[in-house]
Tab-separated table of all heavy atoms in Angstrom:
chain	number	residue	atom	x	y	z
Y	30	MET	N	15.767	58.936	33.609
Y	30	MET	CA	15.285	58.011	34.639
Y	30	MET	C	16.411	57.060	35.032
Y	30	MET	O	16.962	56.379	34.191
Y	30	MET	CB	14.095	57.197	34.119
Y	30	MET	CG	12.850	58.060	33.933
Y	30	MET	SD	11.504	57.121	33.226
Y	30	MET	CE	12.109	56.902	31.555
Y	31	PRO	N	16.751	57.062	36.290
Y	31	PRO	CA	17.890	56.254	36.718
Y	31	PRO	C	17.543	54.773	36.844
Y	31	PRO	O	16.471	54.408	37.312
Y	31	PRO	CB	18.238	56.832	38.094
Y	31	PRO	CG	16.928	57.353	38.602
Y	31	PRO	CD	16.156	57.815	37.390
Y	32	ILE	N	18.468	53.983	36.414
Y	32	ILE	CA	18.345	52.542	36.637
Y	32	ILE	C	19.313	52.167	37.749
Y	32	ILE	O	20.504	52.428	37.648
Y	32	ILE	CB	18.660	51.743	35.367
Y	32	ILE	CG1	17.654	52.072	34.271
Y	32	ILE	CG2	18.647	50.245	35.673
Y	32	ILE	CD1	17.948	51.394	32.953
Y	33	TYR	N	18.788	51.608	38.802
Y	33	TYR	CA	19.621	51.216	39.922
Y	33	TYR	C	19.760	49.704	39.977
Y	33	TYR	O	18.878	48.968	39.543
Y	33	TYR	CB	19.031	51.703	41.240
Y	33	TYR	CG	19.059	53.204	41.402
Y	33	TYR	CD1	17.893	53.943	41.360
Y	33	TYR	CD2	20.266	53.860	41.594
Y	33	TYR	CE1	17.922	55.319	41.508
Y	33	TYR	CE2	20.306	55.236	41.738
Y	33	TYR	CZ	19.122	55.964	41.694
Y	33	TYR	OH	19.157	57.322	41.835
Y	34	GLU	N	20.859	49.296	40.538
Y	34	GLU	CA	21.030	47.878	40.825
Y	34	GLU	C	20.589	47.613	42.252
Y	34	GLU	O	20.895	48.370	43.161
Y	34	GLU	CB	22.497	47.468	40.662
Y	34	GLU	CG	22.893	47.233	39.236
Y	34	GLU	CD	24.259	46.569	39.167
Y	34	GLU	OE1	24.499	45.604	39.901
Y	34	GLU	OE2	25.082	47.048	38.390
Y	35	TYR	N	19.895	46.531	42.414
Y	35	TYR	CA	19.445	46.146	43.740
Y	35	TYR	C	19.943	44.742	44.069
Y	35	TYR	O	20.157	43.913	43.189
Y	35	TYR	CB	17.913	46.161	43.815
Y	35	TYR	CG	17.336	47.552	43.883
Y	35	TYR	CD1	17.094	48.272	42.726
Y	35	TYR	CD2	17.041	48.137	45.103
Y	35	TYR	CE1	16.578	49.558	42.781
Y	35	TYR	CE2	16.517	49.414	45.175
Y	35	TYR	CZ	16.283	50.121	44.010
Y	35	TYR	OH	15.775	51.382	44.064
Y	36	HIS	N	20.079	44.543	45.354
Y	36	HIS	CA	20.472	43.223	45.838
Y	36	HIS	C	19.448	42.775	46.861
Y	36	HIS	O	19.157	43.477	47.827
Y	36	HIS	CB	21.873	43.283	46.457
Y	36	HIS	CG	22.283	42.003	47.109
Y	36	HIS	ND1	22.750	40.922	46.381
Y	36	HIS	CD2	22.283	41.614	48.406
Y	36	HIS	CE1	23.037	39.942	47.223
Y	36	HIS	NE2	22.756	40.328	48.460
Y	37	CYS	N	18.900	41.586	46.661
Y	37	CYS	CA	17.915	41.052	47.586
Y	37	CYS	C	18.630	40.318	48.717
Y	37	CYS	O	19.422	39.404	48.470
Y	37	CYS	CB	16.970	40.112	46.844
Y	37	CYS	SG	15.808	39.297	47.951
Y	38	GLU	N	18.316	40.742	49.933
Y	38	GLU	CA	18.928	40.085	51.088
Y	38	GLU	C	18.297	38.728	51.368
Y	38	GLU	O	18.855	37.913	52.072
Y	38	GLU	CB	18.768	40.970	52.333
Y	38	GLU	CG	19.596	42.214	52.310
Y	38	GLU	CD	19.553	42.931	53.659
Y	38	GLU	OE1	18.462	43.333	54.075
Y	38	GLU	OE2	20.609	43.057	54.291
Y	39	ASN	N	17.128	38.537	50.833
Y	39	ASN	CA	16.422	37.299	51.121
Y	39	ASN	C	16.927	36.130	50.272
Y	39	ASN	O	17.158	35.036	50.781
Y	39	ASN	CB	14.919	37.507	50.872
Y	39	ASN	CG	14.098	36.349	51.386
Y	39	ASN	OD1	14.304	35.895	52.510
Y	39	ASN	ND2	13.181	35.874	50.579
Y	40	CYS	N	17.108	36.377	48.984
Y	40	CYS	CA	17.508	35.278	48.104
Y	40	CYS	C	18.820	35.577	47.369
Y	40	CYS	O	19.225	34.827	46.494
Y	40	CYS	CB	16.401	34.970	47.099
Y	40	CYS	SG	16.131	36.271	45.888
Y	41	ASN	N	19.465	36.701	47.732
Y	41	ASN	CA	20.737	37.091	47.125
Y	41	ASN	C	20.639	37.316	45.627
Y	41	ASN	O	21.612	37.126	44.905
Y	41	ASN	CB	21.821	36.059	47.429
Y	41	ASN	CG	22.194	36.069	48.897
Y	41	ASN	OD1	22.255	37.125	49.524
Y	41	ASN	ND2	22.440	34.906	49.454
Y	42	ASN	N	19.472	37.703	45.199
Y	42	ASN	CA	19.294	37.997	43.789
Y	42	ASN	C	19.725	39.430	43.497
Y	42	ASN	O	19.395	40.344	44.242
Y	42	ASN	CB	17.819	37.809	43.413
Y	42	ASN	CG	17.575	38.100	41.951
Y	42	ASN	OD1	18.381	37.743	41.098
Y	42	ASN	ND2	16.474	38.737	41.644
Y	43	ASP	N	20.484	39.615	42.450
Y	43	ASP	CA	20.833	40.959	41.996
Y	43	ASP	C	20.004	41.299	40.778
Y	43	ASP	O	19.898	40.495	39.856
Y	43	ASP	CB	22.322	41.039	41.641
Y	43	ASP	CG	23.190	40.872	42.874
Y	43	ASP	OD1	22.834	41.421	43.925
Y	43	ASP	OD2	24.212	40.176	42.771
Y	44	PHE	N	19.445	42.483	40.783
Y	44	PHE	CA	18.622	42.865	39.641
Y	44	PHE	C	18.680	44.367	39.444
Y	44	PHE	O	19.090	45.117	40.337
Y	44	PHE	CB	17.177	42.392	39.839
Y	44	PHE	CG	16.503	42.979	41.068
Y	44	PHE	CD1	15.677	44.086	40.952
Y	44	PHE	CD2	16.705	42.415	42.312
Y	44	PHE	CE1	15.047	44.625	42.064
Y	44	PHE	CE2	16.083	42.949	43.442
Y	44	PHE	CZ	15.256	44.044	43.317
Y	45	GLU	N	18.259	44.775	38.277
Y	45	GLU	CA	18.198	46.200	37.969
Y	45	GLU	C	16.754	46.643	37.976
Y	45	GLU	O	15.858	45.881	37.627
Y	45	GLU	CB	18.818	46.473	36.601
Y	45	GLU	CG	20.299	46.208	36.579
Y	45	GLU	CD	20.854	46.363	35.187
Y	45	GLU	OE1	20.068	46.528	34.236
Y	45	GLU	OE2	22.073	46.311	35.038
Y	46	TYR	N	16.565	47.892	38.359
Y	46	TYR	CA	15.206	48.391	38.443
Y	46	TYR	C	15.180	49.856	38.039
Y	46	TYR	O	16.008	50.647	38.490
Y	46	TYR	CB	14.680	48.226	39.867
Y	46	TYR	CG	13.192	48.469	39.997
Y	46	TYR	CD1	12.287	47.460	39.697
Y	46	TYR	CD2	12.706	49.708	40.419
Y	46	TYR	CE1	10.926	47.676	39.815
Y	46	TYR	CE2	11.349	49.934	40.532
Y	46	TYR	CZ	10.463	48.915	40.235
Y	46	TYR	OH	9.116	49.140	40.349
Y	47	LEU	N	14.254	50.171	37.177
Y	47	LEU	CA	14.076	51.550	36.746
Y	47	LEU	C	13.239	52.273	37.790
Y	47	LEU	O	12.085	51.936	38.017
Y	47	LEU	CB	13.392	51.578	35.377
Y	47	LEU	CG	13.233	52.948	34.717
Y	47	LEU	CD1	14.585	53.586	34.468
Y	47	LEU	CD2	12.491	52.804	33.405
Y	48	VAL	N	13.837	53.247	38.458
Y	48	VAL	CA	13.210	53.861	39.618
Y	48	VAL	C	12.497	55.152	39.254
Y	48	VAL	O	13.057	56.007	38.591
Y	48	VAL	CB	14.272	54.154	40.699
Y	48	VAL	CG1	13.634	54.853	41.887
Y	48	VAL	CG2	14.926	52.855	41.141
Y	49	PHE	N	11.284	55.259	39.711
Y	49	PHE	CA	10.549	56.509	39.584
Y	49	PHE	C	10.412	57.104	40.978
Y	49	PHE	O	9.817	56.499	41.869
Y	49	PHE	CB	9.172	56.265	38.977
Y	49	PHE	CG	9.230	55.690	37.590
Y	49	PHE	CD1	9.155	54.319	37.393
Y	49	PHE	CD2	9.373	56.524	36.490
Y	49	PHE	CE1	9.218	53.788	36.120
Y	49	PHE	CE2	9.438	55.996	35.226
Y	49	PHE	CZ	9.359	54.622	35.035
Y	50	GLY	N	10.969	58.286	41.156
Y	50	GLY	CA	10.882	58.929	42.458
Y	50	GLY	C	11.606	58.117	43.512
Y	50	GLY	O	12.725	57.676	43.310
Y	51	SER	N	10.940	57.902	44.639
Y	51	SER	CA	11.550	57.157	45.734
Y	51	SER	C	10.988	55.749	45.819
Y	51	SER	O	11.042	55.104	46.856
Y	51	SER	CB	11.326	57.896	47.052
Y	51	SER	OG	9.935	58.069	47.269
Y	52	GLU	N	10.460	55.303	44.725
Y	52	GLU	CA	9.871	53.970	44.692
Y	52	GLU	C	10.916	52.905	45.021
Y	52	GLU	O	12.060	52.970	44.596
Y	52	GLU	CB	9.317	53.704	43.292
Y	52	GLU	CG	8.644	52.358	43.140
Y	52	GLU	CD	8.155	52.157	41.705
Y	52	GLU	OE1	8.379	53.052	40.877
Y	52	GLU	OE2	7.579	51.109	41.436
Y	53	LYS	N	10.482	51.924	45.774
Y	53	LYS	CA	11.386	50.841	46.120
Y	53	LYS	C	10.810	49.537	45.592
Y	53	LYS	O	9.653	49.213	45.857
Y	53	LYS	CB	11.555	50.762	47.648
Y	53	LYS	CG	12.692	49.860	48.070
Y	53	LYS	CD	12.907	49.951	49.581
Y	53	LYS	CE	14.099	49.098	49.989
Y	53	LYS	NZ	14.334	49.145	51.446
Y	54	PRO	N	11.612	48.820	44.856
Y	54	PRO	CA	11.076	47.632	44.199
Y	54	PRO	C	11.011	46.416	45.118
Y	54	PRO	O	11.698	46.339	46.134
Y	54	PRO	CB	12.086	47.377	43.087
Y	54	PRO	CG	13.372	47.863	43.672
Y	54	PRO	CD	13.009	49.069	44.509
Y	55	ASP	N	10.193	45.492	44.711
Y	55	ASP	CA	10.238	44.167	45.304
Y	55	ASP	C	11.233	43.342	44.521
Y	55	ASP	O	11.516	43.597	43.357
Y	55	ASP	CB	8.870	43.481	45.200
Y	55	ASP	CG	7.797	44.255	45.944
Y	55	ASP	OD1	8.146	45.032	46.841
Y	55	ASP	OD2	6.626	44.073	45.597
Y	56	CYS	N	11.743	42.326	45.176
Y	56	CYS	CA	12.605	41.394	44.464
Y	56	CYS	C	11.786	40.645	43.419
Y	56	CYS	O	10.734	40.094	43.737
Y	56	CYS	CB	13.216	40.410	45.459
Y	56	CYS	SG	14.148	39.108	44.660
Y	57	PRO	N	12.242	40.653	42.171
Y	57	PRO	CA	11.491	39.970	41.116
Y	57	PRO	C	11.530	38.449	41.260
Y	57	PRO	O	10.750	37.741	40.642
Y	57	PRO	CB	12.186	40.418	39.823
Y	57	PRO	CG	13.561	40.768	40.247
Y	57	PRO	CD	13.456	41.299	41.661
Y	58	SER	N	12.443	37.983	42.064
Y	58	SER	CA	12.594	36.549	42.238
Y	58	SER	C	11.732	36.006	43.361
Y	58	SER	O	11.062	35.002	43.211
Y	58	SER	CB	14.069	36.224	42.491
Y	58	SER	OG	14.242	34.841	42.682
Y	59	CYS	N	11.753	36.697	44.503
Y	59	CYS	CA	11.037	36.176	45.666
Y	59	CYS	C	10.031	37.163	46.235
Y	59	CYS	O	9.404	36.900	47.246
Y	59	CYS	CB	12.038	35.761	46.748
Y	59	CYS	SG	12.896	37.170	47.485
Y	60	SER	N	9.902	38.347	45.596
Y	60	SER	CA	8.959	39.380	46.017
Y	60	SER	C	9.246	39.932	47.401
Y	60	SER	O	8.387	40.528	48.032
Y	60	SER	CB	7.507	38.853	45.971
Y	60	SER	OG	7.192	38.475	44.661
Y	61	SER	N	10.457	39.748	47.860
Y	61	SER	CA	10.832	40.296	49.158
Y	61	SER	C	11.015	41.801	49.079
Y	61	SER	O	11.394	42.347	48.045
Y	61	SER	CB	12.133	39.649	49.635
Y	61	SER	OG	12.608	40.310	50.790
Y	62	LYS	N	10.736	42.462	50.178
Y	62	LYS	CA	10.991	43.900	50.268
Y	62	LYS	C	12.389	44.189	50.804
Y	62	LYS	O	12.810	45.346	50.890
Y	62	LYS	CB	9.963	44.551	51.207
Y	62	LYS	CG	8.579	44.691	50.612
Y	62	LYS	CD	8.522	45.862	49.636
Y	62	LYS	CE	7.092	46.127	49.176
Y	62	LYS	NZ	7.032	47.253	48.217
Y	63	LYS	N	13.086	43.157	51.179
Y	63	LYS	CA	14.411	43.366	51.756
Y	63	LYS	C	15.457	43.484	50.654
Y	63	LYS	O	16.277	42.602	50.437
Y	63	LYS	CB	14.763	42.214	52.703
Y	63	LYS	CG	13.886	42.178	53.931
Y	63	LYS	CD	14.329	41.068	54.884
Y	63	LYS	CE	15.722	41.353	55.416
Y	63	LYS	NZ	16.156	40.333	56.399
Y	64	VAL	N	15.377	44.588	49.956
Y	64	VAL	CA	16.325	44.809	48.877
Y	64	VAL	C	17.206	46.011	49.204
Y	64	VAL	O	16.760	46.984	49.802
Y	64	VAL	CB	15.607	45.033	47.536
Y	64	VAL	CG1	14.893	43.763	47.097
Y	64	VAL	CG2	14.634	46.185	47.624
Y	65	LEU	N	18.447	45.930	48.826
Y	65	LEU	CA	19.392	47.014	49.032
Y	65	LEU	C	19.734	47.643	47.702
Y	65	LEU	O	19.985	46.950	46.716
Y	65	LEU	CB	20.682	46.482	49.665
Y	65	LEU	CG	20.537	45.851	51.049
Y	65	LEU	CD1	21.881	45.255	51.465
Y	65	LEU	CD2	20.080	46.864	52.070
Y	66	ARG	N	19.767	48.972	47.690
Y	66	ARG	CA	20.151	49.633	46.451
Y	66	ARG	C	21.667	49.727	46.384
Y	66	ARG	O	22.321	50.182	47.306
Y	66	ARG	CB	19.544	51.029	46.375
Y	66	ARG	CG	19.762	51.660	45.009
Y	66	ARG	CD	18.885	52.837	44.792
Y	66	ARG	NE	19.334	54.015	45.561
Y	66	ARG	CZ	18.686	55.164	45.601
Y	66	ARG	NH1	17.554	55.294	44.972
Y	66	ARG	NH2	19.155	56.175	46.291
Y	67	MET	N	22.183	49.288	45.279
Y	67	MET	CA	23.618	49.312	45.076
Y	67	MET	C	24.006	50.639	44.435
Y	67	MET	O	23.509	50.993	43.381
Y	67	MET	CB	24.048	48.163	44.158
Y	67	MET	CG	23.416	46.827	44.524
Y	67	MET	SD	24.171	46.052	45.951
Y	67	MET	CE	25.579	45.291	45.150
Y	68	MET	N	24.896	51.342	45.087
Y	68	MET	CA	25.387	52.580	44.487
Y	68	MET	C	26.505	52.224	43.524
Y	68	MET	O	27.666	52.159	43.881
Y	68	MET	CB	25.907	53.526	45.563
Y	68	MET	CG	24.825	53.940	46.533
Y	68	MET	SD	23.403	54.678	45.695
Y	68	MET	CE	24.136	56.190	45.096
Y	69	SER	N	26.138	51.980	42.329
Y	69	SER	CA	27.127	51.436	41.414
Y	69	SER	C	26.728	51.723	39.991
Y	69	SER	O	26.143	52.742	39.676
Y	69	SER	CB	27.218	49.925	41.604
Y	69	SER	OG	26.005	49.339	41.213
Y	70	ALA	N	27.028	50.785	39.179
Y	70	ALA	CA	26.549	50.702	37.819
Y	70	ALA	C	26.885	51.930	37.000
Y	70	ALA	O	27.926	52.535	37.138
Y	70	ALA	CB	25.064	50.442	37.791
Y	71	CYS	N	25.916	52.294	36.211
Y	71	CYS	CA	26.193	53.078	35.027
Y	71	CYS	C	26.477	54.537	35.311
Y	71	CYS	O	27.297	55.152	34.662
Y	71	CYS	CB	25.006	52.939	34.107
Y	71	CYS	SG	24.399	51.261	34.055
Y	72	GLY	N	25.804	55.108	36.284
Y	72	GLY	CA	25.974	56.522	36.530
Y	72	GLY	C	27.196	56.836	37.367
Y	72	GLY	O	27.579	57.970	37.502
Y	73	PHE	N	27.794	55.820	37.901
Y	73	PHE	CA	28.931	56.025	38.779
Y	73	PHE	C	30.148	56.462	37.989
Y	73	PHE	O	30.522	55.843	37.004
Y	73	PHE	CB	29.240	54.725	39.521
Y	73	PHE	CG	30.250	54.906	40.624
Y	73	PHE	CD1	29.911	55.539	41.805
Y	73	PHE	CD2	31.546	54.429	40.465
Y	73	PHE	CE1	30.827	55.703	42.815
Y	73	PHE	CE2	32.476	54.594	41.473
Y	73	PHE	CZ	32.121	55.238	42.650
Y	74	VAL	N	30.753	57.556	38.425
Y	74	VAL	CA	31.905	58.067	37.705
Y	74	VAL	C	33.156	57.312	38.137
Y	74	VAL	O	33.537	57.311	39.295
Y	74	VAL	CB	32.095	59.571	37.961
Y	74	VAL	CG1	33.347	60.074	37.252
Y	74	VAL	CG2	30.868	60.346	37.508
Y	75	SER	N	33.754	56.665	37.219
Y	75	SER	CA	34.966	55.919	37.528
Y	75	SER	C	35.808	55.794	36.270
Y	75	SER	O	35.384	56.148	35.180
Y	75	SER	CB	34.624	54.527	38.052
Y	75	SER	OG	33.962	53.794	37.060
Y	76	LYS	N	36.976	55.285	36.460
Y	76	LYS	CA	37.830	55.064	35.315
Y	76	LYS	C	37.426	53.764	34.625
Y	76	LYS	O	37.686	52.684	35.115
Y	76	LYS	CB	39.293	54.998	35.749
Y	76	LYS	CG	39.821	56.345	36.219
Y	76	LYS	CD	41.285	56.252	36.579
Y	76	LYS	CE	41.843	57.641	36.906
Y	76	LYS	NZ	41.156	58.238	38.074
Y	77	GLY	N	36.766	53.914	33.531
Y	77	GLY	CA	36.267	52.748	32.824
Y	77	GLY	C	37.323	52.121	31.943
Y	77	GLY	O	38.513	52.448	32.020
Y	78	SER	N	36.863	51.250	31.101
Y	78	SER	CA	37.781	50.550	30.216
Y	78	SER	C	38.420	51.493	29.204
Y	78	SER	O	39.494	51.230	28.688
Y	78	SER	CB	37.042	49.426	29.484
Y	78	SER	OG	35.951	49.960	28.767
Y	79	SER	N	37.740	52.601	28.970
Y	79	SER	CA	38.270	53.562	28.006
Y	79	SER	C	39.417	54.373	28.608
Y	79	SER	O	40.174	54.994	27.891
Y	79	SER	CB	37.161	54.496	27.518
Y	79	SER	OG	36.655	55.258	28.594
Y	80	GLY	N	39.515	54.369	29.938
Y	80	GLY	CA	40.607	55.055	30.594
Y	80	GLY	C	40.331	56.504	30.884
Y	80	GLY	O	41.155	57.181	31.461
Y	81	GLU	N	39.181	56.999	30.512
Y	81	GLU	CA	38.874	58.380	30.816
Y	81	GLU	C	37.611	58.481	31.666
Y	81	GLU	O	36.740	57.630	31.600
Y	81	GLU	CB	38.719	59.200	29.536
Y	81	GLU	CG	37.519	58.806	28.700
Y	81	GLU	CD	37.418	59.658	27.442
Y	81	GLU	OE1	37.216	60.863	27.563
Y	81	GLU	OE2	37.553	59.104	26.338
Y	82	THR	N	37.561	59.524	32.425
Y	82	THR	CA	36.424	59.724	33.315
Y	82	THR	C	35.201	60.171	32.521
Y	82	THR	O	35.267	61.094	31.730
Y	82	THR	CB	36.750	60.781	34.377
Y	82	THR	OG1	37.926	60.391	35.060
Y	82	THR	CG2	35.604	60.914	35.369
Y	83	VAL	N	34.119	59.486	32.762
Y	83	VAL	CA	32.885	59.813	32.075
Y	83	VAL	C	32.107	60.835	32.894
Y	83	VAL	O	31.936	60.672	34.090
Y	83	VAL	CB	32.033	58.547	31.876
Y	83	VAL	CG1	30.738	58.897	31.156
Y	83	VAL	CG2	32.814	57.511	31.091
Y	84	SER	N	31.668	61.865	32.249
Y	84	SER	CA	30.922	62.893	32.963
Y	84	SER	C	29.534	62.393	33.326
Y	84	SER	O	29.007	61.478	32.707
Y	84	SER	CB	30.809	64.149	32.104
Y	84	SER	OG	29.994	63.908	30.984
Y	85	SER	N	28.954	63.039	34.325
Y	85	SER	CA	27.649	62.610	34.801
Y	85	SER	C	26.560	62.816	33.752
Y	85	SER	O	25.538	62.164	33.785
Y	85	SER	CB	27.283	63.355	36.072
Y	85	SER	OG	27.264	64.750	35.825
Y	86	SER	N	26.798	63.715	32.823
Y	86	SER	CA	25.789	63.990	31.820
Y	86	SER	C	25.597	62.816	30.869
Y	86	SER	O	24.593	62.694	30.218
Y	86	SER	CB	26.169	65.233	31.014
Y	86	SER	OG	27.392	65.030	30.353
Y	87	ALA	N	26.587	61.937	30.832
Y	87	ALA	CA	26.503	60.800	29.936
Y	87	ALA	C	25.970	59.561	30.637
Y	87	ALA	O	25.933	58.495	30.068
Y	87	ALA	CB	27.878	60.488	29.346
Y	88	SER	N	25.567	59.716	31.889
Y	88	SER	CA	25.186	58.543	32.667
Y	88	SER	C	23.961	57.845	32.093
Y	88	SER	O	23.918	56.632	32.003
Y	88	SER	CB	24.935	58.933	34.114
Y	88	SER	OG	23.864	59.866	34.172
Y	89	SER	N	22.985	58.618	31.698
Y	89	SER	CA	21.757	57.985	31.236
Y	89	SER	C	21.961	57.290	29.896
Y	89	SER	O	21.461	56.200	29.675
Y	89	SER	CB	20.641	59.019	31.124
Y	89	SER	OG	21.006	60.043	30.229
Y	90	SER	N	22.725	57.918	29.024
Y	90	SER	CA	22.918	57.315	27.717
Y	90	SER	C	23.824	56.087	27.800
Y	90	SER	O	23.615	55.112	27.101
Y	90	SER	CB	23.509	58.327	26.745
Y	90	SER	OG	24.748	58.800	27.220
Y	91	SER	N	24.807	56.136	28.700
Y	91	SER	CA	25.684	54.987	28.828
Y	91	SER	C	24.960	53.814	29.455
Y	91	SER	O	25.314	52.669	29.273
Y	91	SER	CB	26.923	55.338	29.652
Y	91	SER	OG	26.546	55.688	30.962
Y	92	CYS	N	23.918	54.126	30.201
Y	92	CYS	CA	23.127	53.069	30.816
Y	92	CYS	C	22.425	52.223	29.751
Y	92	CYS	O	22.203	51.053	29.927
Y	92	CYS	CB	22.064	53.650	31.747
Y	92	CYS	SG	22.457	53.493	33.474
Y	93	ASN	N	22.072	52.850	28.657
Y	93	ASN	CA	21.399	52.101	27.606
Y	93	ASN	C	22.289	50.995	27.077
Y	93	ASN	O	21.848	49.892	26.805
Y	93	ASN	CB	21.019	53.040	26.457
Y	93	ASN	CG	19.930	54.016	26.868
Y	93	ASN	OD1	19.127	53.703	27.728
Y	93	ASN	ND2	19.913	55.177	26.253
Y	94	GLY	N	23.574	51.312	26.964
Y	94	GLY	CA	24.495	50.321	26.434
Y	94	GLY	C	24.740	49.195	27.406
Y	94	GLY	O	24.712	48.032	27.044
Y	95	CYS	N	24.957	49.571	28.690
Y	95	CYS	CA	25.349	48.533	29.621
Y	95	CYS	C	24.164	47.737	30.118
Y	95	CYS	O	24.320	46.633	30.586
Y	95	CYS	CB	26.122	49.114	30.788
Y	95	CYS	SG	25.153	50.216	31.811
Y	96	SER	N	22.977	48.274	30.012
Y	96	SER	CA	21.820	47.508	30.457
Y	96	SER	C	21.609	46.289	29.571
Y	96	SER	O	21.049	45.286	30.001
Y	96	SER	CB	20.556	48.381	30.444
Y	96	SER	OG	20.256	48.804	29.137
Y	97	ALA	N	22.098	46.379	28.351
Y	97	ALA	CA	21.958	45.247	27.457
Y	97	ALA	C	22.840	44.089	27.888
Y	97	ALA	O	22.574	42.948	27.576
Y	97	ALA	CB	22.343	45.656	26.036
Y	98	THR	N	23.869	44.420	28.654
Y	98	THR	CA	24.754	43.377	29.144
Y	98	THR	C	24.620	43.213	30.655
Y	98	THR	O	25.515	42.727	31.318
Y	98	THR	CB	26.220	43.694	28.797
Y	98	THR	OG1	26.553	44.964	29.341
Y	98	THR	CG2	26.421	43.712	27.302
Y	99	SER	N	23.507	43.672	31.190
Y	99	SER	CA	23.219	43.570	32.616
Y	99	SER	C	24.294	44.238	33.447
Y	99	SER	O	24.620	43.785	34.527
Y	99	SER	CB	23.083	42.111	33.042
Y	99	SER	OG	22.032	41.517	32.337
Y	100	CYS	N	24.866	45.295	32.927
Y	100	CYS	CA	25.859	46.076	33.632
Y	100	CYS	C	27.104	45.263	34.004
Y	100	CYS	O	27.851	45.630	34.871
Y	100	CYS	CB	25.282	46.721	34.896
Y	100	CYS	SG	24.218	48.125	34.551
Y	101	SER	N	27.313	44.138	33.379
Y	101	SER	CA	28.431	43.317	33.757
Y	101	SER	C	29.757	43.978	33.391
Y	101	SER	O	30.776	43.761	34.025
Y	101	SER	CB	28.342	41.961	33.078
Y	101	SER	OG	28.313	42.118	31.674
Y	102	SER	N	29.729	44.812	32.381
Y	102	SER	CA	30.974	45.420	31.941
Y	102	SER	C	31.328	46.649	32.759
Y	102	SER	O	32.495	46.937	32.964
Y	102	SER	CB	30.879	45.793	30.469
Y	102	SER	OG	29.829	46.715	30.274
Y	103	CYS	N	30.336	47.353	33.254
Y	103	CYS	CA	30.627	48.628	33.889
Y	103	CYS	C	30.633	48.557	35.408
Y	103	CYS	O	31.247	49.366	36.059
Y	103	CYS	CB	29.670	49.707	33.423
Y	103	CYS	SG	27.988	49.452	33.939
Y	104	SER	N	29.932	47.631	35.994
Y	104	SER	CA	29.857	47.613	37.449
Y	104	SER	C	30.947	46.735	38.043
Y	104	SER	O	31.563	47.059	39.032
Y	104	SER	CB	28.493	47.125	37.905
Y	104	SER	OG	28.273	45.823	37.481
Y	105	HIS	N	31.177	45.611	37.423
Y	105	HIS	CA	32.206	44.717	37.935
Y	105	HIS	C	32.979	44.110	36.774
Y	105	HIS	O	32.379	43.467	35.948
Y	105	HIS	CB	31.594	43.592	38.776
Y	105	HIS	CG	30.866	44.121	39.986
Y	105	HIS	ND1	31.486	44.681	41.052
Y	105	HIS	CD2	29.558	44.195	40.229
Y	105	HIS	CE1	30.571	45.062	41.934
Y	105	HIS	NE2	29.394	44.773	41.455
L	25	ZN	ZN1	14.794	37.897	46.463
């Protein structure tokens, strides 16, 4: 199950949301529907701090680690 990062255009709140299907979340802060999904975070293949490319198969498991730190280490 993918965890996506969202950005609320209404209050500029950034949050993570566990998405089922094509469900679109409300902003947990202001309940606005004007949220943008950020193509980023844990599943994104990039050169991380380890210096090696992480395969897509590890995306879900790596999400467990970074979700504990609100993806601060892997997204930005
Ligand atoms: Zn909001």
